Amino acid sequence: MASKPMRILVGCKRVIDYAVKIRVKPDGSGVVTDGVKHSLNPFDEIAMEEAIRMKEKKIANQIVAVSCGPDKCQETLRTALAMGADEAIHVKLSDAEYETLQPLAVAKILSEVAKQQKADLVIVGKQAIDDDSNQTGQMIAALLDWPQATFASEVTVVEDKLRVTREIDGGLETITVATPAVISADLRLNEPRYATLPNIMKAKKKPMATTTPSDYNVDISPRLKVLAVSDPPTREAGSKVADVDELITKLKDAGSL
Ligand code: AMP
């Protein structure tokens, strides 16, 4: 890696914007997406930012953004290009196919793209904030048989390897992985930049290829069936206690102590 700058593939999922209040469809088959603001998945912004910083440090020389989904994903990819990706690949799906798209199918597509693109590194978000699956990165690593460093909060290059600090339940863990590898970006990895107006303009001219899952021989039919989607139970109002003694009595009565 020290000798050769990397080619980085970054997963860019189009998701309902994090600030939107999610509404469940009346028939419980999913959530309302029509007329709802969508954005680049926040963890993918972090993944993209990390790739751009690697390019700025000359550790990487080419960043390819890839999104699997309907035509509107091209807007998402333009955002990624405006941030600093060099080129984009839109793997085109119908709206209906996107609704039932699952991490295994995305992982199969992304691993084929990684092979075709001769990527040295794949960076994905730790999870997409719509389905919160947290599976795609791990599955890409398994399919490619590449090392994986998930939940990354710091990535540095040491000789010809990547040293990755990971956020784990007990705190932090640091591992070293050889490339090619898969990294998934956690919240503290960096603070993504905003695209500037000149860069938004420049992004319009950057190359974007369109492909389909069949170009990669990937069957995207769902393996999991969604039985029902429902709102979480509404939270009951809390109550105030006068002092610590009353709190302890209440907790004891409730069996919590
Ligand atoms: P998930 O396993 O669904 O939580 O997604 C983890 C990461 O995989 C996301 O943050 C993206 O980087 C990537 N990913 C998932 N779905 C897609 C998609 N449709 N297109 C591109 N990248 C995706």
Side-chain angles (χ1 to χ4, degrees):
M1 188 188 321
S3 53
K4 181 178 145 282
M6 294 188 292
R7 191 170 171 84
I8 307 180
L9 191 72
V10 181
C12 293
K13 187 173 189 189
R14 179 177 186 266
V15 295
I16 295 182
D17 188 86
Y18 72 92
V20 168
K21 193 170 175 336
I22 303 294
R23 279 177 301 132
V24 172
K25 283 185 191 164
D27 67 359
S29 64
V31 299
V32 177
T33 55
D34 282 351
V36 169
K37 183 177 177 210
H38 283 67
S39 309
L40 174 58
N41 181 43
F43 289 105
D44 301 355
E45 286 184 355
I46 298 173
M48 181 55 71
E49 175 66 35
E50 199 60 21
I52 297 165
R53 290 185 189 189
M54 286 181 172
K55 192 176 165 189
E56 287 168 347
K57 289 186 202 141
K58 313 248 183 292
I59 301 164
N61 63 356
Q62 191 75 3
I63 304 169
V64 184
V66 53
S67 190
C68 315
D71 282 337
K72 291 222 168 98
C73 288
Q74 296 200 1
E75 285 168 20
T76 314
L77 286 169
R78 290 283 168 213
T79 306
L81 291 167
M83 279 180 78
D86 298 289
E87 52 184 296
I89 300 173
H90 173 214
V91 185
K92 192 178 156 125
L93 271 72
S94 69
D95 287 329
E97 285 170 333
Y98 193 48
E99 253 186 44
T100 58
L101 185 68
Q102 287 161 8
L104 182 59
V106 178
K108 285 181 180 171
I109 294 171
L110 263 52
S111 52
E112 285 305 314
V113 176
K115 278 194 253 173
Q116 275 190 9
Q117 291 287 318
K118 298 197 171 33
D120 304 292
L121 181 64
V122 175
I123 314 183
V124 292
K126 79 160 176 181
Q127 71 199 62
I129 61 161
D130 48 6
D131 292 330
D132 280 342
S133 296
N134 177 5
Q135 295 173 8
T136 308
Q138 296 86 332
M139 286 175 170
I140 296 171
L143 289 163
L144 291 169
D145 200 18
W146 289 3
Q148 58 179 297
T150 50
F151 316 129
S153 63
E154 194 182 355
V155 181
T156 50
V157 175
V158 179
E159 290 167 11
D160 59 346
K161 295 198 168 65
L162 295 173
R163 181 180 289 165
V164 182
T165 304
R166 310 180 53 228
E167 304 224 0
I168 57 169
D169 282 348
L172 297 174
E173 177 191 52
T174 302
I175 60 168
T176 304
V177 290
T179 55
V182 178
I183 289 179
S184 82
D186 212 321
L187 200 62
R188 288 176 196 82
L189 183 57
N190 58 51
E191 215 172 286
R193 68 195 63 194
Y194 288 104
T196 60
L197 191 58
N199 286 345
I200 293 172
M201 301 311 286
K202 272 189 223 155
K204 294 187 182 178
K205 295 201 183 104
K206 289 187 179 175
M208 186 177 319
T210 303
T211 61
T212 63
S214 56
D215 292 334
Y216 309 104
N217 279 325
V218 174
D219 172 10
I220 57 162
S221 44
R223 309 293 177 99
L224 308 169
K225 195 173 160 202
V226 175
L227 299 180
V229 176
S230 60
D231 279 309
T234 41
R235 264 178 89 175
E236 285 177 28
S239 61
K240 275 194 179 166
V241 289
D243 51 31
V244 175
D245 288 341
E246 191 189 336
L247 174 66
I248 291 175
T249 312
K250 281 205 167 187
L251 288 173
K252 275 188 180 156
D253 291 348
S256 309
L257 281 182

